Amino acid sequence: MPKKSTTIPTSKQLQIKVKCCERLKKEHQYYIAEVAENEAKLAKMKQDNADKYDIKRFAEVLEESHVMVPDSLARFNSSLDDLMDFLHKYEPDLVADEDKEWLEKAKRFSQNDIDPKSLAKDEVVETNVNDLNDGETF
């Protein structure tokens, strides 16, 4: 028997899209905090003259965190664009009482109460290359 094509109700789609935006916003903020935390930890390792290998490995971990910041912001912005397109198309269809709560949350994103550009805080501390020892790379 062929599968029935099921369509997800519009109200459920709205919930999914809003929750996705909330999750991605939180994830992006986590990566920003992780970068700041790892920068501080790396600076402390260098200050404490930790093993060069450990410093090098932790610098690689830090670099991975740096890569995730713009990636998570791009995913958030993509999800936000998807939510805004959905609202423009289906907002008149969302009239049930349970939809109003989700519409309110979605509109908070659209009214820039949550500005995605503010999520990309430049809290990253640059490493001073003058502090590196001979042969040490960052």
Side-chain angles (χ1 to χ4, degrees):
M1 262 187 143
K3 278 188 172 182
K4 288 184 181 179
S5 70
T6 58
T7 57
I8 301 173
T10 307
S11 60
K12 185 69 175 172
Q13 289 181 46
L14 175 64
Q15 290 176 18
I16 291 168
K17 290 179 187 308
V18 169
K19 286 180 181 180
C20 182
C21 283
E22 290 172 342
R23 178 181 50 81
L24 290 170
K25 174 185 172 276
K26 189 176 188 178
E27 181 180 303
H28 179 68
Q29 290 171 334
Y30 168 79
Y31 282 120
I32 289 173
E34 182 180 277
V35 165
E37 183 181 305
N38 287 347
E39 282 279 356
K41 188 172 181 179
L42 182 62
K44 183 168 177 18
M45 288 173 76
K46 288 179 180 180
Q47 182 182 11
D48 294 344
N49 293 322
D51 184 52
K52 287 182 182 182
Y53 179 79
D54 291 339
I55 291 173
K56 182 180 177 182
R57 289 293 162 213
F58 196 76
E60 291 171 3
V61 168
L62 177 61
E63 185 58 34
E64 289 175 18
S65 296
H66 278 287
V67 168
M68 291 308 296
V69 171
D71 177 65
S72 62
L73 181 61
R75 286 184 285 122
F76 172 75
N77 285 332
S78 174
S79 177
L80 187 60
D81 289 343
D82 187 38
L83 175 62
M84 294 303 112
D85 291 344
F86 179 83
L87 284 179
H88 290 308
K89 188 173 181 180
Y90 293 107
E91 186 172 4
D93 300 337
L94 299 164
V95 293
D97 287 339
E98 71 178 48
D99 296 340
K100 290 179 182 174
E101 175 189 348
W102 293 102
L103 272 173
E104 216 173 275
K105 288 181 179 184
K107 286 182 180 181
R108 274 189 246 142
F109 284 110
S110 67
Q111 294 171 348
N112 293 327
D113 287 344
I114 302 169
D115 182 11
K117 291 179 180 72
S118 71
L119 296 175
K121 298 175 188 167
D122 291 328
E123 296 178 5
V124 178
V125 179
E126 291 186 18
T127 301
N128 185 352
V129 293
N130 296 330
D131 294 339
L132 297 175
N133 296 325
D134 287 336
E136 184 178 10
T137 60
F138 182 71

